[in-house]
Amino acid sequence: MTLNLFNNWPVRGLLLAILLAMAGCIGGPPVQEMSDARQAISAAREAGASDAAPEELRAAEDYLDSALRNLTRKEYGLARDDALEAKDKAVAALATTERAASSDPRP
């Protein structure tokens, strides 16, 4: 006789509950991603990216604006993607700014 756990109703219920919980985590608003993007943009601005890497900083801000628009439309997947892209662009702007500062001959 074989034991098939999927024919066991309590096991099915537990598996369903786990899947629903996981789906709820995936489909919610990208709160952490939005926060990370805002912090990265803020750090890039404070480091001087407005002068040293204006195009990269502007791209980060544009992606964050798009993420906010998608968030208001409850397009959470798109908002998450844009927030992640905003953070990446801000990190790139910060790196460009730091490279420019390290190669600056001023004391």
Side-chain angles (χ1 to χ4, degrees):
M1 179 172 173
T2 62
L3 177 63
N4 189 346
L5 291 178
F6 295 106
N7 286 334
N8 186 334
W9 282 104
V11 172
R12 280 185 181 179
L14 179 61
L15 288 173
L16 180 61
I18 290 170
L19 289 173
L20 289 174
M22 287 173 46
C25 292
I26 294 170
V31 175
Q32 186 63 52
E33 291 86 349
M34 297 292 287
S35 176
D36 291 348
R38 285 188 189 102
Q39 290 175 359
I41 289 170
S42 178
R45 273 193 203 120
E46 289 175 21
S50 297
D51 295 325
E55 296 85 14
E56 292 168 310
L57 181 60
R58 184 72 218 145
E61 293 167 338
D62 289 346
Y63 274 108
L64 183 60
D65 289 343
S66 178
L68 290 169
R69 284 191 303 275
N70 285 320
L71 192 62
T72 60
R73 290 191 297 254
K74 297 188 188 310
E75 295 285 347
Y76 299 140
L78 295 174
R80 179 173 285 105
D81 292 345
D82 285 344
L84 292 170
E85 195 65 37
K87 179 185 172 190
D88 289 346
K89 297 292 183 187
V91 168
L94 179 59
T96 299
T97 302
E98 289 173 343
R99 279 193 306 275
S102 68
S103 66
D104 190 356
R106 290 182 282 174

